[in-house]
Amino acid sequence: MVTTRDIAERLGVSVSTVGRALSDDPRISEETKFKVRQAASEMGYVGNRAARMMRGASSNVVALVIPDIRNSFYSTIAHELSKNMEAEGFQLMLSETDDDRMVELRHLRELSATRVAGVIIVPTARPHSDSVKLLRTVPHLQLLRRHPSLGSQWFGVDDHEALRQATAHLVAQGHTRIAYLGGPTELPTGAERLRGFRSALREGGLPDDAGVAELGPPSSVDHGRRTVRRLLKGPNTPTALVLGSIQLTLGVLEELSEQGVKVPGDVSVVGFGDEPGFSWWGPGLTTIGLPIQEMATGCALWLMRRLKTKPSNDGPYTSVSPGSLVLRGSTAPPGRRGRSESG
């Protein structure tokens, strides 16, 4: 294995000069840095990152802590973040919590032990107090979900307005029995989306019983299937569905297709997120589009700037991106036969 001593002997300089040149020390001239880096590259030198970390230096790794990589929102965010981080010389590491606060804590302990440069986290509903303490020791920001104990740097979507627009669209078409399937209100995203749903009903002059809220695990495709199956068998079958997560949307679409339910003839549907297949599912799914690339780029730029400046710049920062209602063929006034079946 090639060492800094080998490089020093080749160039006729001290080992400390080689070390400083490789770490971009301002005391070393640009000419010397160039020669050292060129020699290191030619000789196949690989830096001993573990040794640098033992001396207190952080790694070049940024962690993305998310609930579920199967959710395409998170996998797309991870892909976009990885490209942005790589362009700045950082590597993205993925940790999956399954929305379990103890799993979240274990991951954060491991990440802290390896001296990650920064953390981007989609927090669980109730982060452990030790998780809060660990995050205070590393530059971090929250994505999508926001928990007060984890600081005031957050990138998210205007969940209230997104669901308000989606529900208002159904109200404007004349629907008076609308069901909302979303995540639990202990999650800030779940609470805001439910509030948007109820706001649209109220603004549309509908009574409280016009809307039914079915809350459950946002990452569960099976929950979406089970819930819509039960709703369709009930005495007061809704004429429209508005959905509050990508996984729930996938579950509902699978169940509607399997049962041969006509969309929008039997029921209108507004989904969440805009998967590649949503545009050609049945009549085309009307859905809430999410600004994934915008959020990923914003997160990366903020964290890169934070890692290259002093901690005194850790003031509150909030970035709220709007969703967009993508109109297709899965919604129509109640009772009107759709131009296509659901599947």
Side-chain angles (χ1 to χ4, degrees):
M1 181 179 293
V2 177
T3 67
T4 53
R5 184 174 298 278
D6 297 325
I7 299 172
E9 290 177 356
R10 174 170 171 171
L11 297 177
V13 298
S14 68
V15 174
S16 61
T17 295
V18 172
R20 288 169 180 165
L22 291 173
S23 62
D24 203 24
D25 192 309
R27 291 173 291 181
I28 305 300
S29 69
E30 291 302 319
E31 181 182 1
T32 300
K33 288 179 185 177
F34 175 79
K35 290 180 180 179
V36 168
R37 290 168 182 163
Q38 185 177 46
S41 176
E42 293 172 355
M43 297 172 71
Y45 171 76
V46 178
N48 190 339
R49 192 179 308 282
R52 294 201 300 273
M53 288 165 60
M54 288 177 65
R55 295 194 295 269
S58 64
S59 70
N60 70 335
V61 172
V62 171
L64 175 62
V65 182
I66 58 175
D68 185 1
I69 192 61
R70 293 171 301 179
N71 186 325
S72 64
F73 173 85
Y74 297 128
S75 57
T76 305
I77 278 280
H79 175 71
E80 293 295 330
L81 282 172
S82 180
K83 291 196 300 182
N84 279 279
M85 296 295 174
E86 184 178 4
E88 296 293 334
F90 287 84
Q91 179 180 348
L92 191 72
M93 175 187 290
L94 184 66
S95 292
E96 192 176 29
T97 67
D98 199 27
D99 266 328
D100 185 320
R101 69 198 293 252
M102 297 311 297
V103 174
E104 180 180 66
L105 174 58
R106 287 198 297 273
H107 282 310
L108 289 173
R109 281 174 172 161
E110 288 297 322
L111 293 170
S112 178
T114 56
R115 296 186 182 274
V116 291
V119 173
I120 298 172
I121 185 170
V122 181
T124 55
R126 295 179 298 108
H128 195 282
S129 59
D130 287 346
S131 295
V132 176
K133 293 175 184 176
L134 286 168
L135 284 172
R136 286 174 183 164
T137 68
V138 62
H140 69 278
L141 60 85
Q142 299 179 76
L143 175 64
L144 199 63
R145 302 174 185 172
R146 175 168 48 180
H147 197 281
S149 67
L150 301 183
S152 53
Q153 291 82 35
W154 172 72
F155 283 77
V157 175
D158 191 340
D159 290 297
H160 171 270
E161 180 60 17
L163 265 294
R164 191 199 67 77
Q165 285 186 17
T167 309
H169 168 66
L170 295 170
V171 172
Q173 290 191 321
H175 291 276
T176 57
R177 295 197 311 278
I178 305 171
Y180 165 68
L181 280 68
T185 55
E186 67 174 349
L187 292 173
T189 48
E192 284 299 295
R193 291 169 194 173
L194 178 59
R195 191 169 69 88
F197 170 69
R198 288 176 171 163
S199 293
L201 296 178
R202 185 172 60 253
E203 292 167 5
L206 296 180
D208 292 340
D209 59 3
V212 176
E214 296 284 348
L215 308 180
S219 297
S220 173
V221 172
D222 287 341
H223 177 72
R225 296 196 67 158
R226 289 193 304 269
T227 303
V228 76
R229 188 184 310 139
R230 175 169 50 80
L231 287 171
L232 293 175
K233 292 180 179 179
N236 295 310
T237 305
T239 62
L241 304 170
V242 59
L243 310 173
S245 85
I246 293 175
Q247 298 297 86
L248 290 174
T249 299
L250 292 172
V252 167
L253 298 187
E254 287 178 6
E255 188 65 23
L256 293 176
S257 295
E258 186 171 302
Q259 293 198 23
V261 176
K262 295 180 176 62
V263 177
D266 296 330
V267 62
S268 287
V269 182
V270 179
F272 191 88
D274 198 10
E275 297 288 273
F278 287 179
S279 62
W280 50 260
W281 180 89
L285 182 68
T286 293
T287 192
I288 299 168
L290 302 172
I292 297 178
Q293 290 187 331
E294 175 186 333
M295 291 177 63
T297 301
C299 283
L301 290 175
W302 185 91
L303 191 57
M304 292 300 98
R305 186 163 54 248
R306 166 62 184 82
L307 294 177
K308 295 176 181 179
T309 57
K310 296 181 180 180
S312 58
N313 293 333
D314 271 353
Y317 186 89
T318 296
S319 175
V320 183
S321 300
S324 58
L325 187 61
V326 183
L327 296 175
R328 297 193 181 108
S330 65
T331 57
R336 180 175 297 180
R337 296 288 295 182
R339 61 181 174 85
S340 173
E341 294 190 355
S342 63

